[in-house]
Amino acid sequence: MTDNTATTTKLKNLHVITWGCQMNVYDSARMEDVLRPLGYRPVSQVEHADMVILNTCHIRERATEKVFSELGLLKKIREDRLAQGHERMVIAVAGCVAQAEGAEIIQRAPYVDIVLGPQTYHRLPEMVARAARAGGHVIETDFPVDMKFDFLPTEAAPQTPENLSAFLTIQEGCDKFCSFCVVPYTRGAESSRSVASILSEARQMARHGVRELTLLGQNVNAYHGLDAQGASADLPQLVRALSRIEGIARIRYTTSHPRDVTQSLIDAHRDEAALMPFLHLPVQSGSDRVLKAMNRGHTADEYRDIIRRFRAARPDIAISSDFIVGHPGETDDDFEATLALIRDIGFAQAYTFKYSPRPGTPASAADFQVDEAVKDARLQIVQKLIRAQQDAFNGALVGRDVAVLLTHKGRKPGQVVGRSPYQQPVIIDAPEHMIGRIVTVRILHTLTNSLAGELIRETICA
Ligand code: SAM
Ligand code: SF4
């Protein structure tokens, strides 16, 4: 659908820089949506931008310092543009660092115009107007009770062919307060969108060609949104409703928490064909002592049991996880317990992190911080083990036929890239017009981070 507003408003260039998780990718797309009626259209080069939004992430190490260093670069670009006779570029900082640092950002970087937290981006047009009027700074980092989703434009940007697989945030915030994590402080308390608003956004995405939906939330399986009758619906109920939308062939969700896994979610993996056989279920550690110190609320054996039940329901399910090595107090024995858990489960992939203290979190003030050199050594060991498991998982697919959603052109002419049910990129020779289809591909061999295959059928295997 074309945007008539943009034709009557002066067109301006918007460049959004996104750091961090998929929820930030989703938020950046929605910020582009809310600014579109003001005439802003996305551009890929920051040098051409009338407005830049730096959408930040607080999870990674030295997050705040990286923001200030990037802001220094943006200031320079703004000065160069002014020297070339362009209008003053608006600089906005969004996301979790904006939430955590607030006014500190304006103090250290007074040239920033707008600072907005992750819960307030629906108010961006008003903030842009206020910043222009006052010629000063606008800071919006409260957690409004009204949910931002209720204020977003109902017509989002048309999906491009590359965008056949889209993110949809269904839940935000977290009440779990793991010892190491800033999310409860930056994203606020746990809250879920209503079933109706999610279905309406998903239908619109499907109309624009989206075939694969990834439902997002900090604790996505804690989802408890209200349905049309005012009753609380859980994630499996939502998945069932979404799978009935015409065009939506695949559904994924991330990130889930072991404590919120229910039998009905496990059953949904057995019953719902659209639910992909891939589960990202972070465990962080295999040691009960460390899990307790982390405040994760479950033991290593409880995690093993959850995976056993998923596999009983859906034998081909691929398991992914997050691990932190070197949490305060982690001994050699604790680390060995993590390696034992990894060997027991057999992961298709996993993200591995070295513990890094986050100001304001309990672990950052804990005694017995682990030596950096020990953390480095443990990270290498754990990464090697995960890499071997990932290679084994990918290797086991060679010679097998899998359903692949073709999403975009490959780097070489005649190549098309798609995604397997297990999240791997799969490269095949196929005509471009097949992008958007789900086809049967025989896996021929593994590449470093993807699989090479050949087209077997233009439909999917039963
Ligand atoms: N809600 C999810 C869960 O409970 O598993 C994870 C959300 S967090 C945004 C993503 C991952 O970042 C975590 O699973 C953890 O492994 C890692 N992480 C978070 N804080 C960290 C820290 N202080 N040091 C190292 N890794 C961290
Ligand atoms: Fe952070 Fe996840 Fe723990 Fe919540 S459950 S505090 S988001 S790691």
Side-chain angles (χ1 to χ4, degrees):
M1 188 166 173
T2 50
D3 186 340
N4 296 327
T5 327
T7 56
T8 53
T9 314
K10 187 179 164 222
L11 284 180
K12 297 182 202 106
N13 293 338
L14 170 68
H15 181 79
V16 185
I17 302 168
T18 308
W19 291 346
C21 64
Q22 292 136 329
M23 293 190 75
N24 270 14
V25 175
Y26 175 89
D27 285 354
S28 290
R30 297 293 81 80
M31 287 193 268
E32 289 176 358
D33 291 342
V34 295
L35 288 173
R36 195 165 288 109
L38 299 193
Y40 282 99
R41 53 172 193 188
V43 290
S44 57
Q45 275 181 291
V46 62
E47 289 78 12
H48 297 163
D50 299 296
M51 175 168 179
V52 179
I53 302 176
L54 180 58
N55 193 6
T56 61
C57 168
H58 209 292
I59 291 286
R60 300 289 165 257
E61 218 166 344
R62 294 190 297 279
T64 309
E65 288 321 304
K66 282 181 191 150
V67 169
F68 285 111
S69 128
E70 185 72 20
L71 286 175
L73 296 176
L74 293 178
K75 179 172 177 258
K76 172 85 180 54
I77 292 170
R78 173 199 274 173
E79 285 163 2
D80 290 348
R81 279 178 53 86
L82 281 171
Q84 290 159 15
H86 293 289
E87 275 180 31
R88 187 173 174 280
M89 183 171 101
V90 178
I91 301 180
V93 184
C96 293
V97 175
Q99 184 66 44
E101 304 297 330
E104 170 82 15
I105 294 184
I106 300 288
Q107 255 167 33
R108 279 185 62 184
Y111 48 88
V112 168
D113 301 288
I114 299 170
V115 176
L116 69 152
Q119 306 306 331
T120 60
Y121 60 64
H122 57 289
R123 299 189 191 157
L124 248 178
E126 176 203 323
M127 293 180 220
V128 173
R130 263 165 54 204
R133 262 200 317 272
H137 312 295
V138 175
I139 306 177
E140 290 260 2
T141 50
D142 50 344
F143 289 109
V145 276
D146 46 80
M147 278 193 76
K148 63 186 176 187
F149 303 108
D150 300 337
F151 289 83
L152 293 175
T154 46
E155 278 302 321
Q159 301 291 312
T160 61
E162 283 77 18
N163 220 352
L164 287 150
S165 174
F167 295 130
L168 203 174
T169 294
I170 64 167
Q171 178 278 338
E172 279 215 279
C174 180
D175 298 334
K176 293 208 163 53
F177 291 92
C178 295
S179 61
F180 52 84
C181 183
V182 286
V183 167
Y185 312 98
T186 56
R187 290 264 172 177
E190 197 179 290
S191 63
S192 297
R193 292 175 70 181
S194 71
V195 172
S197 86
I198 295 166
L199 288 180
S200 133
E201 189 170 343
R203 281 193 199 102
Q204 191 193 321
M205 286 175 162
R207 277 198 296 276
H208 287 307
V210 169
R211 305 222 57 201
E212 178 176 84
L213 276 182
T214 301
L215 310 179
L216 297 180
Q218 295 295 348
N219 279 286
V220 75
N221 57 334
Y223 175 80
H224 57 279
L226 291 182
D227 67 12
Q229 286 72 44
S232 178
D234 62 8
L235 180 62
Q237 286 169 313
L238 181 68
V239 165
R240 269 191 279 280
L242 287 166
S243 67
R244 286 199 282 272
I245 296 177
E246 204 184 320
I248 299 297
R250 293 177 155 195
I251 300 174
R252 305 176 184 276
Y253 57 90
T254 196
T255 297
S256 22
H257 193 293
R259 255 157 81 187
D260 295 315
V261 169
T262 58
Q263 190 56 43
S264 57
L265 180 63
I266 295 174
D267 293 344
H269 276 272
R270 183 194 56 210
D271 303 332
E272 294 299 323
L275 203 49
M276 288 294 95
F278 182 91
L279 174 72
H280 181 64
L281 192 66
V283 61
Q284 316 295 356
S285 169
S287 151
D288 289 345
R289 233 176 48 79
V290 174
L291 286 170
K292 191 156 189 268
M294 287 177 163
N295 192 30
R296 293 291 290 179
H298 64 83
T299 63
D301 277 349
E302 280 163 351
Y303 184 86
R304 286 181 175 89
D305 188 55
I306 290 169
I307 301 300
R308 185 191 56 72
R309 286 157 58 212
F310 269 109
R311 283 178 167 155
R314 182 80 208 228
D316 66 336
I317 197 162
I319 310 295
S320 160
S321 198
D322 290 348
F323 290 92
I324 296 179
V325 299
H327 184 271
E330 186 189 70
T331 62
D332 285 346
D333 284 351
D334 293 321
F335 180 62
E336 280 304 322
T338 297
L339 297 179
L341 179 121
I342 296 174
R343 286 190 201 101
D344 287 351
I345 301 287
F347 289 95
Q349 63 152 68
Y351 301 96
T352 48
F353 305 97
K354 228 172 30 159
Y355 168 72
S356 92
R358 293 284 168 273
T361 57
S364 67
D367 294 333
F368 310 114
Q369 297 286 333
V370 176
D371 202 73
E372 276 308 305
V374 174
K375 282 194 226 172
D376 283 332
R378 287 181 187 165
L379 187 68
Q380 277 198 20
I381 296 169
V382 85
Q383 282 181 339
K384 199 167 155 208
L385 181 55
I386 293 290
R387 182 80 232 182
Q389 293 196 341
Q390 185 172 350
D391 289 347
F393 179 81
N394 291 344
L397 285 176
V398 173
R400 280 183 48 197
D401 293 352
V402 295
V404 173
L405 168 61
L406 301 176
T407 51
H408 58 282
K409 282 197 284 180
R411 260 192 240 130
K412 294 191 189 144
Q415 277 187 345
V416 171
V417 184
R419 201 147 25 144
S420 80
Y422 313 110
Q423 294 272 48
Q424 302 118 318
V426 181
I427 303 166
I428 62 169
D429 285 334
E432 214 180 294
H433 69 79
M434 291 188 71
I435 290 172
R437 305 258 295 266
I438 301 179
V439 297
T440 302
V441 169
R442 183 156 304 155
I443 303 302
L444 298 176
H445 57 91
T446 59
L447 301 161
T448 316
N449 291 309
S450 56
L451 302 171
E454 67 176 340
L455 183 65
I456 293 291
R457 261 194 314 280
E458 294 190 15
T459 52
I460 51 172
C461 23

